[in-house]
Amino acid sequence: MSILVVGSVAFDRITTPFGTADRCLGGSATYFAVAASFFAPVNLVAVVGDDFTAEDAAIFKGRNINLDGLQKVKGAKTFFWAGEYGYDLNVAKTRETQLNVFADFKPQLNDVQRDSEVIFLANIDPDLQMDVLRQCRKPRIVALDTMNYWISAKKEALTHAFQNVDLIVINEAEVRQFTQEANLVKGCRQILALGARTLVIKRGEYGVLMITREAVFAVPAYPLENVFDPTGAGDTFAGGFLGYLASCRENDDRELRRAIIFGSVLASFTVEKFSLDRLREITLTDVQERYRAFRTLTHFEDFEV
Ligand code: AMP
C-alpha cells in the first residue's frame, strides 16, 4: 500500500547538553518519509522556500519517496524551528518557531496522492489535517499526530479530527492535557471513546504504549549508550510503524505489535546523531539487525503460573 504524509519539512536549530546544530534538516514529514520509505512507497506533501537547496533535498533521493508534492515557494523561507533539551531529553522546549512558507500552506492533492491507502497527518493545524483527509479517496488507515499547541489553541477542531481517524499517535503529556485526566489509561479510554481504534502513546526513553479497545501492548525504548538528539524520534517512530503496516497484507493485532517494534527500531537510530544524520546512513539490514536485538531484549521464557 502507498503512504501519504502531509507535514513540515524544516530547518531546525537544536541545542542539547551535548552540543548545538544550526540550520540542520528537520520537519515532521522529513523524518516520517525517510523512515516509512524503508518499507513502502511514500508520497510527500509539504512546502519549502527557495533557501532549500538540492543538497538539502538529497536526503529524499534514492529512496521510495515521490516528491511531486514538495512545493517550492519563490522568495520565501523554509519553516524554522529552534528547540532545546536539558539532561531530560524527553522534554523539548520550543525556543523559536518561524512559520515562513508554512503560514499559507494549503495542500491540494493530485490524483496519485489522493489514492494513497495509508495517510499520516503529521503535526499541523487540525483543520488542515481534515482538509487533506477530505481530499483522499479510499484510505485504509488514517493516522494523525498533534502537539500541545493545537490542544490549547484548537481543541474543538482537534476533537473533530480525533473523531475521524483510525489511529492517533500522541505523547503522554498530550493525553493528560487533552483529557484533563491524571491517569494515563483512563485518559486513553476517553480519547478512544471519540472513535479511533488505536492509540499509540509515545513515552520518550520509556518506550511506547499501544492501547486499543481490546488490548494494551507496551514496549521499552531500545537501551542506547549514546543518545544525542531526540528531535524527530516521534515522527520517525510513526514512519517505521505505518511504513511497516503499509507493507503488510493484514493489519491485525499481531502485525500492529510488530509495527510498534519497527517504529521503535527506526526511532532508536534517529536519536543516535543530530538531525537525520544517522537515519541517512543506515540500511534495511541495520534495521533488521536491530529488530532482532529488540526481540532478544523483550523475550522471556513463558511458564505456567
Ligand atoms: P518530534 O521531535 O518528533 O516531535 O518532531 C520534531 C520536528 O517537528 C522538528 O524537526 C521540527 O522542525 C518540527 N516541528 C516543530 N514544531 C512544529 C510545528 N509547530 N509544526 C510543524 N512542525 C514542527
Side-chain angles (χ1 to χ4, degrees), residues 223-282:
L224 295 165
E225 289 198 21
N226 294 315
V227 178
F228 276 104
D229 173 17
T231 308
D235 302 304
T236 309
F237 168 85
F241 176 71
L242 288 175
Y244 177 73
L245 280 184
S247 74
C248 296
R249 263 166 204 255
E250 303 284 330
N251 285 313
D252 54 13
D253 186 61
R254 234 170 116 105
E255 294 296 15
L256 275 170
R257 288 174 187 231
R258 287 194 188 120
I260 292 278
I261 305 293
F262 275 113
S264 306
V265 164
L266 265 305
S268 77
F269 285 113
T270 287
V271 303
E272 285 183 320
K273 288 189 177 174
F274 275 107
S275 179
L276 287 100
D277 291 354
R278 185 74 178 115
L279 213 49
R280 192 190 286 274
E281 63 191 14
I282 59 167

Side-chain angles (χ1 to χ4, degrees), residues 7-14 24-31 79-83 85 92 94 96-97 99 102 122-125 145-150 171 174 202 229-237 270 275-276:
S8 59
V9 170
F11 291 131
D12 292 344
R13 182 171 60 236
I14 311 290
C24 60
L25 189 59
S28 53
T30 316
Y31 284 102
F79 174 84
F80 174 80
W81 179 72
Y85 305 84
T94 294
E96 201 178 332
T97 302
L99 290 178
F102 221 53
N123 164 34
I124 49 174
D125 184 328
D145 187 10
T146 192
M147 71 186 289
N148 51 6
Y149 176 77
W150 302 118
N171 74 35
E174 290 157 359
K202 299 172 286 180
D229 173 17
T231 308
D235 302 304
T236 309
F237 168 85
T270 287
S275 179
L276 287 100

